[in-house]
Every structure is written in structure tokens, then in C-alpha cells.
Amino acid sequence: VQLQASGGGLVQAGGSLRLSCAASGRTFSNYDMGWFRQAPGKEREFVAAISWSGSRTYYADRVKGRFTVSRDNTKNMVYLQMSSLKPEDTAVYYCAAVAARSNTLRARTSEYDYWGQGTQVTVSS
């Protein structure tokens, strides 16, 4: 499956931004989806995940309550709505896909099979 993330940009602290990830190539609803981010000099870290049906979600503690992941299987799209943004949210954000095989949503980069190219999010203070 091919993934393309978009929607990044420059936003002030406290602001909001919505990232989108378009999927193509395979049956989108067969995949759990994840969002990850990577700041300069740091390892890529988990942000959020959503099950193939959209019925289950999972968030990293540092974004819980501020970010919301959703998907539209009719459009082959997954979204990350980010609110109350902080300068420490500045990073390149990536969407990723893994074939849905269990009820456990995955949070490790090694568990995902497909990756998008990333979109830059910069939060100014």
C-alpha cells in the first residue's frame, strides 16, 4: 500500500492542524494505521493508531487529549487532528500501515510495514 501524508505547516503554540494520509494500492480497510513523528536528532516515536474499522484508537500519553486520529475507509484516508499544539510537537509526521491481524494496536515502528514520506509540522512559541 502506498501512503502520502499532507497537511503539515507552521502554526503558533495553542493552535490546531489536521494532517491527512491518503492510501492507495490495496484494500485500505484491511490495515490498521498509525501516526509517528520524528524531531531533529531524535528517534521516530509513536503518536497514535487506529484499527482497520476505526472502532479502536490508541494514543501516546504526551498527545492524549490533544490529538484525535480518525479514518474514512470510503475515501482511503486517515487523519490526525492536532489541537493545543506545543513547540515540542514540532517534528516530521509520518503515517504508516500494518495488516490488521489482532486486536492489539501497534506502537513500535518495527511493527509497521508501509510508510508515507512525512509532512513537516512546526509549532512556534
Side-chain angles (χ1 to χ4, degrees), residues 57-74:
T57 58
Y58 177 43
Y59 296 94
D61 287 344
R62 62 188 66 190
V63 306
K64 198 174 296 182
R66 299 189 297 123
F67 291 11
T68 302
V69 60
S70 61
R71 68 189 292 163
D72 185 342
N73 286 348
T74 66

Side-chain angles (χ1 to χ4, degrees), residues 3-49:
L3 303 172
Q4 184 163 357
S6 62
L10 174 64
V11 62
Q12 288 189 331
S16 299
L17 208 57
R18 189 177 84 153
L19 304 183
S20 300
C21 177
S24 62
R26 297 199 178 186
T27 305
F28 181 60
S29 59
N30 287 344
Y31 293 85
D32 293 337
M33 300 297 295
W35 285 98
F36 291 77
R37 67 187 183 187
Q38 188 167 18
K42 295 187 176 181
E43 293 189 353
R44 194 169 298 188
E45 65 174 8
F46 171 74
V47 175

Side-chain angles (χ1 to χ4, degrees), residues 42-95:
K42 295 187 176 181
E43 293 189 353
R44 194 169 298 188
E45 65 174 8
F46 171 74
V47 175
I50 187 167
S51 62
W52 65 271
S53 66
S55 63
R56 291 177 289 113
T57 58
Y58 177 43
Y59 296 94
D61 287 344
R62 62 188 66 190
V63 306
K64 198 174 296 182
R66 299 189 297 123
F67 291 11
T68 302
V69 60
S70 61
R71 68 189 292 163
D72 185 342
N73 286 348
T74 66
K75 298 181 179 179
N76 290 358
M77 297 289 293
V78 62
Y79 306 100
L80 185 69
Q81 178 67 47
M82 306 184 293
S83 302
S84 302
L85 283 162
K86 305 174 182 179
E88 51 263 44
D89 294 319
T90 295
V92 177
Y93 283 71
Y94 299 88
C95 57

